[in-house]
Amino acid sequence: MRGSAVRGWRWLAPAAVVLLLVTAWPIGRTVWTSLSTAPQTNPGDRVFVGLDNYVDVLSNRSWWTAVAATLAVIGVVVVLQLLLGLAFAAALRRVTVLWPVTRVLVLVPFAMLAVVVAVVWRDATTTGFAAQWFSLDEPGPIGQLISVSLGEVWRGTGITTVILLAGLLRVPDSLMASAVADGATHWQRIRKVVLPAAGPAFAVAATYRALDALRVVEGPLLVDVPGAEVRTVTTVVWDTTFSSFELALGAAMSVLLLALAALIAAVLVSVLRVRRIV
Amino acid sequence: MVAVAALLAGCASSVDETEVPVVHWHVGPDRVDPRQLAATCTEQSGGRYRIEVEAMPSDLQDRHRQLVRRMLARDDSIDLLSLDTSLTAEFAAAGFLAPVPAALSQQQRGVVPAALAAATYEQQLVVVPWFLEPQVLWFRGNVAERAGLDLSKPVTWDDLVAGAQRLGVTIQIQDPDGSGLADWVNALVVGSGGSIVSGTRRDAQVSLASEPGRAAASVVEFYQQSQVGPGPSSDALATFASPTGGFLLAAASAVVDPDVSAVAADMVAASYPVTGQTSVAPLSGVGLAVPAHARHREASFAAIECLTAPEQLRTLMVGSRRSVSRFAIWRDREVRRAFPQLGVVSEAIKTGTTVPSSPYWFQIVRAIEATWRPVDEVTQDTTPDESQAAVRAAVEGTMP
């Protein structure tokens, strides 16, 4: 037993080392960088400042506006993706003809580059079909942010559908048949039969889509204008690092973004934890 | 072994003989065709180098972002740079530029002092001056007379705005590349006896919340309240040429812009309007620099020597009305005939001001854009203080 555990570790060691190298090293460097002030174009002004960058960011109003905007975008995107994905998954479950084709087809939007999707959806609301149908004039920066977020919904619904479908397929037919025979109501069937079996897949879908929505930068960056009032956190990080060239401040923001991701994941995992019955 | 050595030797010699170093010259938009200058210099080099022109984005902020990213990545595909004077300090502080050879820096006698200052950082010549031009007050035909203004001597902003309003014409302010607002605010502050920022480090003195800062804001406030124009705008030249156009604050070279070709014959230049005692015009221009990571440093500096030779400077000045960096060219008879506004220009270049020499200037521009735009919300009571805080944050590298 002991011997096999050691052997097991020996096999795992290379993977563990690689994982450490590709995650711990850059994160460690980012944390170290964030403790100085580092204007990339004026190396003479580089000094160690401790936690000043964090104090600056966390006491800044526009940072918290960005956090609020990001959480709002994540909330809307994830909820819409889950609802649409569930509807599609329920429908796809009944499709038996050509099922391999249909299940791949829903993934097509996900195969498109995020920036292409963002451009298409922005243009739809500024000059394209959405502007004509709803006679929008000049959606403005916030309107455009909404339009690229809807683009993200469109892009991610397919992958959400596939995850949810995998969950739905785990619901045993025999259990469902017994529930129907026992005269369980619709609501009871969902709560007692579907959710316990499909719950873990729902939790995975929600967490994965939330973290994916958090890191989205293409769309918000595309519709960002100088002096915009509402920005997402990723846009602020990008702007600070690659337009203001304040490397350390951007690093501090990145660390806070990582903390935000961890927080979202922790909340979702504990909220969505579903007791497995089957 | 011998065969390989012979082969290698053959390779080496053929490289020496046939491969002319290509100098990739990156330029912003200009009214004179840089390809023509490049061709002339390539020809004159007698095969020592060949210049190829590459265009950079026309917006100054875009150009700045692209260049800084490429420099930080040690991009070696830029051999020669047309560097905007507002970028000199940042590029020098960052160590992006190859040192100017002593032979070339000793040739800077007879160079326009302001152009030399704009190419210098911490008492060191870091860029070779090429041209530096002032903004002047352009007006059409007898507009000044009809507005009751005597423009033979500098006019105050108040009189100019009142005159334009009386006559129902606009005062357009140029902004061809996104630098218009910051140049305007800077000239107004300096003209009122202040400076936006002094010092090159994080602890630089920012003085917008001051008497000169408020004086500058009051000019902007009066300008927008009188509704004589939209402030600095990219279509200023086209609007000036339209029926509502009367006055235009733009570079001396604007007269050869295609946008004003219909009224160019009718355009007269006068000194930039004053806020304090003397006329302080915004000065901006371009210097030639070699990036630190350029592959053919020698060829690049040889190309600079050619581009700053009298013959090329004359072509530049006659063709594009850029006031070039050497006074000797200004006295040339051909130049003086082509450039009737030279008197106004030579006064303006003495009293005008470039943007402050700060490595953080482009962050300051962003802060000014954020606090002085939209122009019709500027007030002398709030804007200087808001702007002070934003510029201070930009210099200190904190969040605004």
Side-chain angles (χ1 to χ4, degrees), chain A residues 82 86 89 93 160 163-172 175-176 189-206 272 274-278:
Chain A
L82 285 178
L86 197 57
R93 197 170 158 239
T160 317
I163 299 173
L164 295 180
L165 184 59
L168 288 185
L169 289 175
R170 288 187 65 220
V171 179
L175 210 58
M176 190 55 108
R189 271 180 274 157
I190 290 179
R191 271 192 58 201
K192 305 279 185 187
V193 182
V194 176
L195 269 185
F202 288 12
V204 167
L272 295 172
V274 186
R275 249 190 319 143
R276 289 177 65 169
I277 296 174
V278 184

Side-chain angles (χ1 to χ4, degrees), chain B residues 14 51 112 136-137 199 204 299 306 308 316 378 396:
Chain B
S14 76
I51 304 181
V112 178
V136 295
L137 172 61
C306 171
T308 53
L316 184 64
V378 169
E396 285 177 350

Side-chain angles (χ1 to χ4, degrees), chain A residues 37 44-45 56 239 242 246, chain B residues 69 201-202 360 366 399-400:
Chain A
T37 170
D45 269 348
D56 176 29
D239 190 70
F242 298 112
E246 293 293 348
Chain B
R69 287 176 196 161
R201 308 300 290 263
R202 288 276 202 222
Y360 301 108
R366 279 159 61 104
M399 286 189 79

Side-chain angles (χ1 to χ4, degrees), chain B residues 111-125:
Chain B
V111 165
V112 178
L116 197 60
T120 306
Y121 182 69
E122 292 183 340
Q123 284 88 47
Q124 190 86 32
L125 187 77

Side-chain angles (χ1 to χ4, degrees), chain A residues 37-46 53 56-58 60-63 227 231 236 238-240 242-246 249 253, chain B residues 61 64-66 68-69 72 89-91 93-96 121 200-203 359-360 363 366 370 394-400:
Chain A
T37 170
Q40 279 179 290
T41 56
N42 201 0
D45 269 348
R46 201 167 291 207
N53 286 326
D56 176 29
V57 174
L58 290 176
N60 191 284
R61 206 188 131 97
S62 60
W63 170 259
R231 289 175 144 176
V236 175
W238 194 91
D239 190 70
T240 306
F242 298 112
S243 295
S244 298
F245 302 106
E246 293 293 348
L249 193 61
M253 290 173 181
Chain B
Q61 285 283 353
H64 166 254
R65 265 196 292 269
Q66 193 201 78
V68 171
R69 287 176 196 161
L72 286 171
E90 184 175 6
F91 275 48
F96 289 163
Y121 182 69
T200 59
R201 308 300 290 263
R202 288 276 202 222
D203 57 1
Y360 301 108
Q363 309 318 324
R366 279 159 61 104
V395 171
E396 285 177 350
T398 57
M399 286 189 79

Side-chain angles (χ1 to χ4, degrees), chain B residues 245-336:
Chain B
F247 297 97
L248 168 70
L249 292 159
S253 63
V255 67
V256 293
D257 195 279
D259 280 350
V260 295
S261 55
V263 294
D266 208 19
M267 281 167 69
V268 189
S271 300
Y272 199 80
V274 297
T275 39
Q277 299 302 313
T278 51
S279 160
V280 177
L283 304 178
S284 64
V286 164
L288 297 170
V290 179
H293 295 283
R295 269 171 301 191
H296 315 293
R297 220 180 251 196
E298 256 173 61
S300 301
F301 280 113
I304 289 184
E305 216 163 328
C306 171
L307 288 169
T308 53
E311 194 185 327
Q312 272 62 253
L313 290 184
R314 194 181 300 115
T315 311
L316 184 64
M317 198 152 181
V318 173
S320 70
R321 309 288 162 86
R322 300 289 200 193
S323 36
V324 299
S325 58
R326 284 180 186 278
F327 275 132
I329 312 297
W330 297 39
R331 291 190 285 267
D332 187 282
R333 198 182 310 140
E334 188 195 347
V335 169
R336 270 160 53 189

Side-chain angles (χ1 to χ4, degrees), chain A residues 174-229:
Chain A
S174 57
L175 210 58
M176 190 55 108
S178 324
V180 174
D182 288 348
T185 62
H186 198 75
W187 180 235
Q188 281 172 329
R189 271 180 274 157
I190 290 179
R191 271 192 58 201
K192 305 279 185 187
V193 182
V194 176
L195 269 185
F202 288 12
V204 167
T207 313
Y208 166 49
R209 295 319 301 157
L211 292 181
D212 212 32
L214 174 70
R215 61 145 211 103
V216 161
V217 69
E218 297 91 342
L221 203 57
L222 183 78
V223 298
D224 191 42
V225 287
E229 275 167 32

